[in-house]
Amino acid sequence: MHVREWSTREAGREAVSLVPESLDDLWHLTYVIEPGDLVSGDTHRRIQRNEEHMRDTGGEREHMHVTLEVEDVDFHKFSNRLRVGGTIVDCSREDQLGLHHTLNLEEHDTIEIEKIWQPDQRERIEEAEEATDQPTVAIATVAEGEAHVHTVAQYGVDEYVSLTSTTGKGEYTGGREELFEELADALGHLDADAIILAGPGFTKQDALEHIQAHPAVTETVSVVDTSAAGGRGVHEVLKRGAVADVRRETRIAEESAAIDELTDRMAGDGAAAYGIDAVETATEYGAVENLLILDERLRQERAGEGDWALDVNELIQQVERQGGDITVFSHEFQPGEQLRNLGGVAALLRYPIE
């Protein structure tokens, strides 16, 4: 996510101008943009013309800049777009004010979002922005005599290092071992969440032993078969969706660790709470160490479509004031399903509440 500018507006509202740079960024915006927000962007709208000396064509598409008061948001991951529907409250054509329109937001579109921001929503934007600059996945491709490391950010791939060596059996074994050590050392200097090791044949398996034994390499390593190393191998890894799978598994692992800790505490010392009533009580005691909440339930409550008696934003703010953390679970993954079965909200506590 590329954030261009934050600005202060009236009545405690703030606006951010940003550019989503990946499908992940569009997905994040699904849980930031809410009914009542103002979203501005460039679009095309069909305009009906019936002027004198002009045949009615049934409408012509015209480029314009619009601001919508949001009514609904729909993420279309298979068409790589986010649909934001609402009423036009500002437009380069006054005759379009008050009409309904849908902004089809895609990667690299510039938009502005104006709203009263909640802390977790700002944090979500900040995390997406940080992920743009820091590589989260490294792709290491290996073949006999060569090894390459590419870094993958939310958008784009960069070559980090390219290594070559005389490798083989017998008298050349030393060069082969040195190549693998150099590769492991290079990976050890990267700030990556995960490593994808790829290449043809069995060479990558020998390299894997060196990588996993290297003390500085603590990331999760997965292995993918490709027909070549270098740029072609990276292309095959990306084409197969391995990077998306690793990112997905990384998030699942983080959420799984939290839900497992919750389950262990529920069966053990009782320093846990689940369900909105128990979580509210724990919050009143100042006992919440980590608030776990399901993204779709959070969105539902903020939209006034839920059945909780409390204000979810006030709950989150109270936990943060007490020094607690907030973990928003994705409903698309198995840990999120487990949290849904517990009422969509739970908490890891600093101490048991009787």
Side-chain angles (χ1 to χ4, degrees), residues 10-11 13-14 32-40 67-73 84-87 89 112-117 121 299 302-305:
E10 297 178 351
R13 299 170 71 90
E14 289 182 278
V32 169
I33 301 173
E34 304 170 290
D37 293 349
L38 300 180
V39 175
S40 305
T67 297
L68 302 182
E69 182 174 341
V70 177
E71 296 174 2
D72 54 77
V73 183
V84 180
T87 303
V89 295
E112 181 182 87
I113 305 168
E114 179 184 333
K115 61 185 291 152
I116 295 178
W117 290 83
Q121 295 172 335
R299 181 177 179 81
R302 281 178 167 161
E305 300 170 354

Coordinates of all heavy atoms in Angstrom, one line a residue, residues 10-11 13-14 32-40 67-73 84-87 89 112-117 121 299 302-305:
E10 N -13.3 18.1 9.0 CA -14.1 18.6 10.1 C -14.7 17.5 10.9 O -14.7 16.3 10.5 CB -15.3 19.4 9.5 CG -14.9 20.6 8.7 CD -16.0 21.4 8.1 OE1 -17.2 20.8 8.1 OE2 -15.9 22.5 7.6
A11 N -15.2 17.8 12.1 CA -15.9 16.9 13.0 C -15.1 15.6 13.4 O -15.6 14.6 13.5 CB -17.2 16.5 12.4
R13 N -13.0 14.0 11.6 CA -12.8 13.1 10.5 C -11.4 13.3 9.9 O -10.8 14.4 10.0 CB -13.8 13.3 9.4 CG -15.2 13.0 9.9 CD -16.3 13.4 8.9 NE -16.3 12.5 7.7 CZ -17.0 11.4 7.6 NH1 -17.8 11.1 8.5 NH2 -17.0 10.7 6.5
E14 N -10.8 12.3 9.4 CA -9.5 12.4 8.7 C -9.6 11.7 7.3 O -10.4 10.8 7.1 CB -8.4 11.7 9.5 CG -8.0 12.4 10.8 CD -6.9 11.7 11.5 OE1 -7.2 10.7 12.2 OE2 -5.7 12.1 11.3
V32 N -11.7 -1.7 6.0 CA -11.5 -0.4 6.4 C -12.6 0.5 6.0 O -13.1 1.4 6.8 CB -10.1 0.1 5.9 CG1 -10.0 1.6 6.1 CG2 -8.9 -0.6 6.5
I33 N -13.1 0.4 4.8 CA -14.2 1.2 4.3 C -15.5 0.7 4.8 O -15.8 -0.5 4.7 CB -14.2 1.2 2.7 CG1 -12.8 1.7 2.2 CG2 -15.3 2.0 2.2 CD1 -12.6 1.6 0.7
E34 N -16.3 1.6 5.3 CA -17.6 1.3 5.9 C -18.7 2.2 5.4 O -18.4 3.3 4.9 CB -17.5 1.4 7.5 CG -16.4 0.6 8.1 CD -16.3 1.0 9.6 OE1 -15.8 2.2 9.8 OE2 -16.6 0.2 10.4
P35 N -20.0 1.8 5.6 CA -21.1 2.6 5.2 C -21.0 4.0 6.0 O -20.7 4.0 7.2 CB -22.3 1.8 5.7 CG -21.9 0.4 5.6 CD -20.4 0.4 6.0
G36 N -21.2 5.0 5.3 CA -21.1 6.4 5.8 C -19.8 7.1 5.6 O -19.7 8.3 5.7
D37 N -18.8 6.3 5.2 CA -17.5 6.9 4.8 C -17.6 7.6 3.5 O -18.5 7.3 2.7 CB -16.4 5.8 4.7 CG -16.1 5.1 6.0 OD1 -16.5 5.6 7.0 OD2 -15.4 4.1 6.0
L38 N -16.7 8.5 3.2 CA -16.6 9.2 1.9 C -15.4 8.7 1.2 O -14.3 8.7 1.7 CB -16.5 10.7 2.1 CG -17.6 11.4 2.9 CD1 -17.4 12.9 2.9 CD2 -19.0 11.2 2.2
V39 N -15.7 8.1 0.0 CA -14.6 7.6 -0.9 C -14.6 8.3 -2.2 O -15.6 8.4 -2.9 CB -14.8 6.1 -1.1 CG1 -13.7 5.6 -2.0 CG2 -14.7 5.3 0.3
S40 N -13.4 8.8 -2.6 CA -13.3 9.6 -3.8 C -12.3 8.9 -4.8 O -11.3 8.4 -4.3 CB -12.8 11.0 -3.5 OG -13.6 11.7 -2.6
T67 N -17.1 11.7 -5.5 CA -17.0 11.3 -4.1 C -18.4 10.6 -3.7 O -19.4 11.2 -3.9 CB -16.8 12.5 -3.2 OG1 -15.6 13.1 -3.5 CG2 -16.8 12.1 -1.7
L68 N -18.3 9.4 -3.1 CA -19.4 8.6 -2.8 C -19.6 8.6 -1.2 O -18.6 8.5 -0.5 CB -19.3 7.2 -3.2 CG -19.1 6.9 -4.7 CD1 -19.1 5.4 -5.0 CD2 -20.2 7.6 -5.6
E69 N -20.8 8.7 -0.8 CA -21.1 8.3 0.6 C -21.4 6.8 0.6 O -22.4 6.4 0.0 CB -22.3 9.1 1.2 CG -22.6 8.8 2.6 CD -23.6 9.6 3.2 OE1 -23.9 10.7 2.7 OE2 -24.2 9.2 4.3
V70 N -20.6 6.1 1.2 CA -20.6 4.6 1.0 C -21.8 4.0 1.6 O -22.3 4.3 2.7 CB -19.3 4.0 1.6 CG1 -19.3 2.5 1.5 CG2 -18.0 4.5 1.0
E71 N -22.4 3.0 0.8 CA -23.5 2.2 1.2 C -23.1 0.8 1.4 O -23.5 0.0 2.3 CB -24.7 2.3 0.3 CG -25.2 3.8 0.2 CD -26.3 3.9 -0.9 OE1 -26.6 2.9 -1.5 OE2 -26.8 5.0 -1.1
D72 N -22.2 0.3 0.5 CA -21.8 -1.1 0.5 C -20.5 -1.3 -0.1 O -20.0 -0.5 -0.9 CB -22.9 -2.0 -0.2 CG -23.1 -1.6 -1.6 OD1 -22.3 -1.9 -2.5 OD2 -24.2 -1.0 -1.8
V73 N -19.7 -2.4 0.3 CA -18.4 -2.7 -0.1 C -18.4 -4.2 -0.4 O -18.8 -5.0 0.4 CB -17.3 -2.3 0.9 CG1 -15.9 -2.6 0.4 CG2 -17.5 -0.9 1.4
V84 N -17.1 -0.4 -4.5 CA -17.6 0.5 -3.5 C -18.8 1.2 -4.0 O -18.7 2.0 -5.0 CB -16.5 1.5 -3.0 CG1 -17.1 2.4 -1.9 CG2 -15.3 0.7 -2.5
G85 N -20.0 0.9 -3.5 CA -21.2 1.5 -4.0 C -21.7 2.6 -3.0 O -21.6 2.5 -1.8
G86 N -22.4 3.6 -3.6 CA -23.0 4.6 -2.7 C -23.6 5.8 -3.5 O -23.7 5.7 -4.7
T87 N -23.9 6.8 -2.8 CA -24.6 8.0 -3.4 C -23.5 9.0 -3.7 O -22.6 9.3 -2.9 CB -25.6 8.6 -2.5 OG1 -26.6 7.6 -2.2 CG2 -26.3 9.8 -3.1
V89 N -22.0 12.4 -3.7 CA -22.1 13.7 -2.9 C -21.3 14.8 -3.4 O -21.5 16.0 -3.1 CB -21.8 13.4 -1.4 CG1 -22.9 12.5 -0.8 CG2 -20.4 12.9 -1.2
E112 N -9.2 8.3 -2.2 CA -9.2 9.0 -0.9 C -10.3 8.5 -0.1 O -11.5 8.3 -0.5 CB -9.4 10.5 -1.1 CG -9.3 11.3 0.2 CD -9.5 12.8 0.0 OE1 -10.7 13.2 0.0 OE2 -8.5 13.5 -0.1
I113 N -10.0 8.2 1.2 CA -11.0 7.7 2.1 C -11.1 8.7 3.3 O -10.1 9.0 4.0 CB -10.6 6.3 2.7 CG1 -10.4 5.3 1.6 CG2 -11.7 5.8 3.6 CD1 -9.7 4.0 2.0
E114 N -12.3 9.2 3.5 CA -12.5 10.2 4.6 C -13.5 9.5 5.6 O -14.6 9.1 5.2 CB -13.1 11.5 4.1 CG -13.4 12.5 5.2 CD -14.0 13.8 4.7 OE1 -13.8 14.1 3.6 OE2 -14.7 14.4 5.5
K115 N -13.1 9.5 6.9 CA -14.0 8.9 7.9 C -13.4 9.3 9.3 O -12.4 9.9 9.4 CB -13.9 7.4 7.7 CG -12.5 6.8 7.9 CD -12.5 5.3 7.6 CE -13.3 4.6 8.7 NZ -13.9 3.3 8.3
I116 N -14.1 8.8 10.3 CA -13.6 8.8 11.7 C -12.9 7.5 11.8 O -13.5 6.4 11.9 CB -14.7 9.0 12.7 CG1 -15.3 10.4 12.6 CG2 -14.1 8.8 14.1 CD1 -16.5 10.6 13.5
W117 N -11.6 7.5 11.9 CA -10.8 6.3 11.9 C -10.7 5.7 13.3 O -10.4 6.4 14.3 CB -9.4 6.6 11.4 CG -9.3 7.0 9.9 CD1 -9.6 8.2 9.4 CD2 -9.0 6.1 8.9 NE1 -9.5 8.1 8.0 CE2 -9.2 6.8 7.7 CE3 -8.7 4.7 8.8 CZ2 -8.9 6.2 6.4 CZ3 -8.5 4.2 7.6 CH2 -8.6 4.9 6.4
Q121 N -8.1 0.3 12.4 CA -8.2 0.5 11.0 C -6.9 1.3 10.5 O -6.4 1.0 9.5 CB -9.4 1.3 10.7 CG -10.7 0.6 11.0 CD -12.0 1.5 10.8 OE1 -11.9 2.7 11.0 NE2 -13.1 0.9 10.6
R299 N -16.7 -6.1 11.4 CA -17.4 -5.3 10.4 C -18.9 -5.2 10.6 O -19.5 -4.2 10.5 CB -17.1 -5.8 9.0 CG -17.7 -5.0 7.9 CD -17.2 -5.6 6.5 NE -17.8 -4.9 5.4 CZ -17.4 -3.7 5.0 NH1 -16.3 -3.2 5.5 NH2 -18.0 -3.1 4.0
R302 N -19.7 -2.9 13.6 CA -19.5 -1.5 13.3 C -20.6 -1.0 12.3 O -20.9 0.2 12.4 CB -18.1 -1.4 12.6 CG -17.0 -1.3 13.6 CD -15.7 -1.2 12.9 NE -14.6 -0.9 13.9 CZ -13.3 -1.1 13.7 NH1 -12.9 -1.6 12.5 NH2 -12.5 -0.8 14.6
A303 N -21.2 -1.9 11.5 CA -22.2 -1.4 10.6 C -23.6 -1.4 11.3 O -24.6 -1.0 10.6 CB -22.3 -2.4 9.4
G304 N -23.6 -1.8 12.6 CA -24.9 -1.8 13.3 C -25.8 -2.9 12.9 O -27.0 -2.9 13.2
E305 N -25.2 -4.0 12.4 CA -26.0 -5.2 12.0 C -25.8 -6.3 12.9 O -26.4 -7.4 12.7 CB -25.5 -5.6 10.6 CG -25.7 -4.5 9.5 CD -25.1 -4.9 8.2 OE1 -24.3 -5.9 8.2 OE2 -25.2 -4.1 7.2

